[in-house]
Amino acid sequence: MRIGANTWLGYEPLFLARQQQTLPQGVSLHEYPTTAETLRAFRNRNLDVAALTLDEAVPLLLDDNQAAIALILSHSHGADALLGQAEFKQVTDLRGKVVGADSLTLGAYMLGRALELSGMDKKEVEIRSVSLEQQEASFLNREIDGLVTFEPILSRLQRQGAKVLFDSRSLPNEILDVLVVRPQQLNKGQRRQLRELVKVWFEHTETLVTQQETAMQLVMKRQNLYSNELQHALTLLRFYDREENQRLLTGQDSPQLRRTIENIAQTLHRLGLRPATTIPPQQPLFTSIGME
């Protein structure tokens, strides 16, 4: 079974499992420089499982009725942000300026919502596509005035004086991370691997939540963060446990999560990021095969 993820801090439990050799037998983790590439690989069926933000997963769910959410990983509470150069104090200061974003993924959504909630239109800024591997250099070289990014890049740029103008705390229940699969495409062995992967995921999230020394050292090295930066970054996201997943995917909170997905679909349309699309009421958006 092949799983894909990018370098977002919230996916680190997967990479900890790979580093500590606790991934289930036969499961391979593929690292992509951007979520757009993870999404493309999943669409092209080069991956069996994809780690995505919910706003990236929603278009996939709209376009592929075989895809479903198998796990809610984490919730960003300030770990995704719109940064400005040191002289900027608020989002409206970016009017007429150049803002970098990974325009195909979360960046476009975050920027659109930041501008919208600040009473601005996206036409009032120049949006420049900047890939994750180029973001730090582009910002530090002042090629851009603002940047939509996330941890660990967020902490590394704050270290250099970047100012947070807007972050995901202003978007409750919108910036979630999920695992997406095509349940009908998984054979019996892959379903077993997915269940084992979910178990390993929860084990490694616990090592970060409790800030166990070995896990923290591995993440600090991989993400190029100082100890205090990692500790702070972990306060900006919250990992969901097994019980919360059961409520959200199959229990009493499932209708609420479905409404959140429908609202994000409407927001994507309002921001001009995709055509208007209605999710059929009978379309299953969630699967419990990883929790069985």
Side-chain angles (χ1 to χ4, degrees), residues 74-122:
S74 61
H75 168 212
S76 173
H77 188 66
D80 297 82
L82 170 59
L83 297 177
Q85 298 288 354
E87 63 268 25
F88 297 111
K89 305 301 180 185
Q90 56 194 7
V91 175
T92 52
D93 292 340
L94 292 174
R95 188 174 279 112
K97 304 298 183 180
V98 179
V99 180
D102 184 351
S103 59
L104 297 178
T105 54
L106 176 63
Y109 186 88
M110 274 286 293
L111 179 57
R113 292 292 279 132
L115 295 174
E116 186 177 57
L117 292 175
S118 300
M120 294 174 63
D121 187 272
K122 63 182 181 180

Side-chain angles (χ1 to χ4, degrees), residues 11-174:
Y11 301 147
E12 275 303 308
L14 294 172
F15 293 99
L16 279 172
R18 185 175 69 180
Q19 286 178 285
Q20 298 185 308
Q21 299 182 340
T22 58
L23 284 173
Q25 186 174 3
V27 173
S28 57
L29 175 60
H30 302 264
E31 182 173 348
Y32 291 87
T34 68
T35 310
E37 293 180 60
T38 307
L39 188 56
R40 186 180 305 114
F42 185 82
R43 286 185 181 273
N44 292 338
R45 300 178 185 268
N46 295 320
L47 292 174
D48 304 297
V49 185
L52 304 168
T53 56
L54 189 57
D55 68 284
E56 295 155 347
V58 167
L60 179 64
L61 297 172
L62 292 170
D63 297 336
D64 184 348
N65 61 14
Q66 291 189 342
I69 295 172
L71 196 67
I72 311 297
L73 304 177
S74 61
H75 168 212
S76 173
H77 188 66
D80 297 82
L82 170 59
L83 297 177
Q85 298 288 354
E87 63 268 25
F88 297 111
K89 305 301 180 185
Q90 56 194 7
V91 175
T92 52
D93 292 340
L94 292 174
R95 188 174 279 112
K97 304 298 183 180
V98 179
V99 180
D102 184 351
S103 59
L104 297 178
T105 54
L106 176 63
Y109 186 88
M110 274 286 293
L111 179 57
R113 292 292 279 132
L115 295 174
E116 186 177 57
L117 292 175
S118 300
M120 294 174 63
D121 187 272
K122 63 182 181 180
K123 296 178 182 178
E124 296 183 73
V125 299
E126 179 186 336
I127 303 173
R128 183 174 300 173
S129 180
V130 182
S131 64
L132 293 181
E133 60 266 30
Q134 297 173 327
Q135 286 189 352
E136 289 176 84
S138 294
F139 190 88
L140 295 174
N141 292 334
R142 301 186 69 89
E143 297 167 6
I144 52 179
D145 303 292
L147 174 69
V148 179
T149 193
F150 50 77
E151 294 291 357
I153 298 172
L154 173 56
S155 284
R156 295 202 296 259
L157 285 177
Q158 284 185 286
R159 187 194 307 166
Q160 301 291 327
K163 300 296 184 183
V164 174
L165 307 180
F166 179 91
D167 66 34
S168 50
R169 284 174 287 195
S170 298
L171 302 175
N173 302 318
E174 292 184 49

Side-chain angles (χ1 to χ4, degrees), residues 8-11 73-80 151 177 208-209 232-239:
W8 155 241
L9 181 63
Y11 301 147
L73 304 177
S74 61
H75 168 212
S76 173
H77 188 66
D80 297 82
E151 294 291 357
D177 289 284
L208 288 182
V209 170
H232 174 68
L234 287 172
T235 69
L236 304 180
L237 62 91
R238 185 174 73 81
F239 294 107

